[in-house]
Amino acid sequence: LQAGTPALMIYREGLAKGVEGANHLAWHVEVGNQGDVRQFVFVDAHTGKVIDKINGIHDDKSRRAFNSQNATAPGPNYPNTPFWVEGQGFPTGTVEADNMIAASGDFYDMFKKAFGRDSFDGKGATMDSIFNRGDSCPNASWNGRFISFCPGTTTDDVTAHEWGHAHTEYTSNLIYAWQPGALNEAYSDIWGETIDRINGRGGDTPDAARGNGTCSIATKVGGVPGTDNSVRWLMGEDSTAFSGAIRDLYNPSCYGHPGKVTDTRYRCTTADGGGVHSNSGVPNHAYALLVDGGTYNNQTISGIGLTKSAHIYNRAQSVYQGPASGFADHADALAQSCADLTGKGLNDLTTGLLSNEVISAQDCAEVNKAALAVELRTPPAQCNFVPLLAKSPPALCPTGTVAPLLSDSFDGGKAGGVRWQVSYQGSNPEFTPRNWGVVNKLPNGRPGYALFAADPNIGTCSAGGNEAGIVRIESPEFAISADAAAPKLTFDHWVATESKWDGGNLKISVNGGAWQLIAASDFVYNPYNTTLNTAAQGNDNPLAGQAAFSGADGGSVTGSWGRSIVNLSRFAKPNDKVKLRFEMSTDGCGGTVGWYVDDVKVYRCTP
């Protein structure tokens, strides 16, 4: 222990309690080890006796455990009758609860001591966990409020994995589909295995270094064939409900998962959210190689250890990645995080004390080699993914020239002389008011401004948090000229929504009449790509069952720009007065990005 410089002061006993007490001339001394011990000691200056000691470490850890009693989580006891709360005796004597509570503490401690983060939300949130759930077994999950476990799944790595999902929600908030979803899963595996490696609990032996094998060694590890006589980098190897490990971070292919993007095991289908539990093998593999080193795909990586790797990955996740980050974004985030941390002191993952490890330029070179080895920046060309919007539009006028009847590019951050009207309508009182807006910093580097309607990732789809509703933007009434026998509409747009649940379409009103849906058959190019799920399918979106632009580019949660062209002649004739409306509508929960619309033009083709 070390003592700071003493300070002489008047110390009154009982002051903190709000009661009368004696005054002392006292020395105030801070004593600690710069880690888990810090106390303020008050010593009587005349007698040398210790008057008081105050703890200087503020432990904000707050955990609760609940017994679901084999019912659907959260079960009958949540939230009013916890099985255990912070400060009660531990262990409880119930193995499932003890595993869950201890591993929750391991997760809290590592993030607090190593990275200075107070609970999964960074604000000291109570960590609620539920054991003995009876639904969807064997499994474990995070649902936005608590983590819950079927019997036999509360091991340290699985528990930390689920808290990893909570941490992701409050940092990068990676969308749970395709590559962002695979990264979401990988970060949970990464944090689960990191904690498994440092907490000294569970079945951690044998823990030999791993080899880059071809799964030819059939050594039984937790009842499941492994690749080496080692439990190192196996996920869920102690979970009896899984009969052993379910994933291998060091050799993902041994459990049927890809070790690199061009691996034949890389999933290209929409099943499992676009392969989130399998394609996670790619970023998992990069982390394991970076920590321990190895040779793979013509790259030889010298391992930089857990402490450096965890700090780099934590910064990448919490600073540089967003909801739609793919593998290439992940590689960029890791490289930038390594550069940021070069030469900086790193806290030890267990004690929180300043470690003797310092990231160097050579370490960053190893980060780059790990990214190359698993091909983080290589697109999965073998999947032949197709963009939502085609990219080869025909000329606006096959012959003649374009004569605008209404036109708006939205540049300058406002409507270009067109007085659009916005409105919204929520299906429930809790709907968060929002509208179309004119924005810049457009996706894919498109310059200028465009209209935007969000597809926000909010809501619970249940009473009190149901965000179902619609936002509209409506043009003023304009005239179809007498010589416009075949008026057309064109607009550029970018779409990324929750597929078949959220989306948008176009409506038209002629001569003050009712709003009519412009049908897919009215489009000359890039019509609606789908029909939204119906109310009978559980969709409470106000546009349920209608044709719409919905979803995203194939293999992605984002979109790309494309042009649509619409023939309005079925609705609008010469001398008619017309209004247009773009509608973007969402169900009660979940979302991705939204719908951008630019360069709207109603026109005729002159000879």
Side-chain angles (χ1 to χ4, degrees), residues 336-412:
Q336 186 60 56
S337 297
C338 191
D340 294 347
L341 295 173
T342 297
K344 306 289 179 61
L346 304 177
N347 290 345
D348 183 85
L349 300 182
T350 54
T351 67
L353 296 173
L354 192 64
S355 72
N356 60 1
E357 299 194 43
V358 179
I359 291 173
S360 67
Q362 183 56 48
D363 294 327
C364 295
E366 303 305 326
V367 171
N368 185 54
K369 286 193 287 185
L372 288 171
V374 304
E375 304 170 337
L376 289 177
R377 293 188 174 90
T378 301
Q382 72 274 20
C383 294
N384 297 312
F385 289 129
V386 177
L388 188 148
L389 298 172
K391 309 304 178 190
S392 301
L396 295 183
C397 289
T399 60
T401 58
V402 174
L405 304 174
L406 175 143
S407 181
D408 203 338
S409 68
F410 311 103
D411 287 339

Side-chain angles (χ1 to χ4, degrees), residues 1-3 30-39 57 113 347-348 351-355:
L1 297 179
Q2 298 176 336
E30 181 179 337
V31 179
N33 64 358
Q34 297 184 340
D36 58 353
V37 176
R38 187 189 187 203
Q39 288 194 328
I57 293 182
K113 293 178 180 179
N347 290 345
D348 183 85
T351 67
L353 296 173
L354 192 64
S355 72

Side-chain angles (χ1 to χ4, degrees), residues 180-192:
L183 280 172
N184 193 315
E185 273 298 315
Y187 269 117
S188 281
D189 281 353
I190 285 165
W191 298 132

Side-chain angles (χ1 to χ4, degrees), residues 42 139 169 178 202 220 280 296 320 342 410 443 473 483 562 564:
F42 299 89
N139 207 348
E169 180 175 323
W178 299 107
K220 288 286 185 176
S280 58
Y296 180 78
Y320 291 113
T342 297
F410 311 103
I473 187 162
D483 57 354
S564 286

Side-chain angles (χ1 to χ4, degrees), residues 152 157-158 221-225 234-247 255:
D157 53 358
V158 176
V221 179
V224 175
L234 297 184
M235 166 57 64
E237 73 277 8
D238 295 327
S239 297
T240 57
F242 301 141
S243 299
I246 54 175
R247 283 187 290 278
Y255 285 81

Side-chain angles (χ1 to χ4, degrees), residues 55-409:
N55 189 10
I57 293 182
H58 309 290
D59 188 357
D60 295 325
K61 190 187 304 179
S62 176
R63 295 167 292 172
R64 298 191 301 181
F66 296 85
N67 188 345
S68 193
Q69 296 179 338
N70 295 313
T72 298
N77 299 313
Y78 186 84
N80 296 322
T81 312
F83 174 84
W84 180 90
V85 298
E86 196 71 52
Q88 291 183 340
F90 186 81
T92 67
T94 300
V95 174
E96 295 281 350
D98 290 346
N99 288 344
M100 187 180 70
I101 295 166
S104 297
D106 295 338
F107 184 91
Y108 179 94
D109 289 342
M110 186 187 78
F111 276 89
K112 183 65 181 293
K113 293 178 180 179
F115 310 130
R117 187 172 180 84
D118 187 4
S119 193
F120 59 86
D121 68 341
K123 299 178 181 179
T126 296
M127 302 172 73
D128 284 345
S129 51
I130 295 168
F131 66 102
N132 282 346
R133 91 177 200 197
D135 58 301
S136 303
C137 291
N139 207 348
S141 61
W142 156 256
N143 77 339
R145 290 184 298 160
F146 52 76
I147 58 173
S148 62
F149 302 87
C150 295
T153 66
T154 59
T155 53
D156 51 1
D157 53 358
V158 176
T159 300
H161 172 104
E162 299 308 336
W163 283 124
H165 284 306
H167 176 71
T168 295
E169 180 175 323
Y170 283 89
T171 52
S172 54
N173 197 24
L174 289 156
I175 296 167
Y176 203 62
W178 299 107
Q179 286 193 353
L183 280 172
N184 193 315
E185 273 298 315
Y187 269 117
S188 281
D189 281 353
I190 285 165
W191 298 132
E193 283 305 290
T194 299
I195 286 169
D196 194 3
R197 288 275 297 272
I198 67 175
N199 66 358
R201 295 187 302 102
D204 296 332
T205 57
D207 188 31
R210 300 291 302 281
N212 295 104
T214 57
C215 309
S216 60
I217 302 174
T219 302
K220 288 286 185 176
V221 179
V224 175
T227 59
D228 305 286
N229 186 21
S230 175
V231 299
R232 198 178 184 97
W233 296 116
L234 297 184
M235 166 57 64
E237 73 277 8
D238 295 327
S239 297
T240 57
F242 301 141
S243 299
I246 54 175
R247 283 187 290 278
D248 182 339
L249 279 68
Y250 200 85
N251 281 335
S253 62
C254 295
Y255 285 81
H257 305 142
K260 59 182 179 179
V261 171
T262 60
D263 195 319
T264 57
R265 300 171 185 83
Y266 190 94
R267 304 294 173 84
C268 299
T269 70
T270 57
D272 188 28
V276 299
H277 288 93
S278 53
N279 295 342
S280 58
V282 175
N284 276 347
H285 196 192
Y287 184 74
L289 285 171
L290 184 62
V291 173
D292 281 357
T295 298
Y296 180 78
N297 197 18
N298 299 316
Q299 297 290 330
T300 297
I301 298 100
S302 297
I304 68 173
L306 273 175
T307 299
K308 293 178 181 179
S309 300
H311 277 274
I312 292 168
Y313 272 67
N314 175 68
R315 184 169 180 81
Q317 182 181 27
S318 58
V319 176
Y320 291 113
Q321 292 189 224
S325 292
F327 288 178
D329 303 309
H330 179 54
D332 292 343
L334 293 174
Q336 186 60 56
S337 297
C338 191
D340 294 347
L341 295 173
T342 297
K344 306 289 179 61
L346 304 177
N347 290 345
D348 183 85
L349 300 182
T350 54
T351 67
L353 296 173
L354 192 64
S355 72
N356 60 1
E357 299 194 43
V358 179
I359 291 173
S360 67
Q362 183 56 48
D363 294 327
C364 295
E366 303 305 326
V367 171
N368 185 54
K369 286 193 287 185
L372 288 171
V374 304
E375 304 170 337
L376 289 177
R377 293 188 174 90
T378 301
Q382 72 274 20
C383 294
N384 297 312
F385 289 129
V386 177
L388 188 148
L389 298 172
K391 309 304 178 190
S392 301
L396 295 183
C397 289
T399 60
T401 58
V402 174
L405 304 174
L406 175 143
S407 181
D408 203 338
S409 68

